[in-house]
Amino acid sequence: PEAEPNPPLLRRLEVVRADFTQVSSIDQVTQTFHARLLLLLRIRDGAADRHLVEEYEGFPLGEDGQPTFRPSALWYLSQIDFPNGTDVRVIESKVTKHGKDLHLMKRIEGDFFERFEL
């Protein structure tokens, strides 16, 4: 008999802080700007979850080679994408424990396109 797959888990990531720490090279013609961004997320009570605290950024597979659908907090952090960015560079990316919670922090820098409206 086939093993039952793990039931889906609801993972709620809360935005604690999102700061543009630097904005420069604003170009109204091309509607682009250069920026540094700090993003801090929290998973409440995540420090007690053995899957979330794993030091593995890939998508986890079980002993049978099938996905476990139990990725780590590092995996969730690596999934954050900036589709309106070009030459986006990760300055820092880490997961830390704060009491019972996990904090996911990402600092990035890059050029971004955004339609400027008055």
Side-chain angles (χ1 to χ4, degrees):
E2 282 189 34
E4 288 292 317
N6 287 324
L9 288 178
L10 176 64
R11 298 289 194 199
R12 186 165 279 137
L13 282 71
E14 301 172 2
V15 176
V16 174
R17 185 175 173 183
D19 288 336
F20 282 97
T21 58
Q22 181 183 31
V23 177
S24 61
S25 303
I26 300 169
D27 188 324
Q28 293 177 340
V29 175
T30 62
Q31 299 189 34
T32 59
F33 61 94
H34 184 84
R36 285 187 183 177
L37 173 69
L38 165 66
L39 183 61
L40 182 60
L41 307 170
R42 173 178 48 221
I43 301 175
R44 287 192 189 271
D45 299 323
D49 187 309
R50 68 180 176 93
H51 301 288
L52 287 173
V53 298
E54 286 184 14
E55 297 281 333
Y56 181 62
E57 199 171 304
F59 201 80
L61 301 176
E63 293 177 8
D64 59 358
Q66 298 298 312
T68 64
F69 300 103
R70 300 291 188 264
S72 70
L74 280 173
W75 181 84
Y76 286 106
L77 193 56
S78 72
Q79 300 308 300
I80 297 172
D81 188 23
F82 300 91
N84 66 331
T86 59
D87 300 321
V88 175
R89 173 176 76 89
V90 176
I91 299 169
E92 186 177 14
S93 183
K94 65 181 180 180
V95 175
T96 56
K97 291 181 183 180
H98 287 266
K100 295 180 180 180
D101 301 337
L102 290 179
H103 282 196
L104 293 68
M105 190 269 291
K106 186 170 249 187
R107 290 181 196 272
I108 59 109
E109 176 178 33
D111 296 316
F112 297 88
F113 169 81
E114 184 64 37
R115 185 170 171 211
F116 295 169
E117 296 182 23
L118 296 176

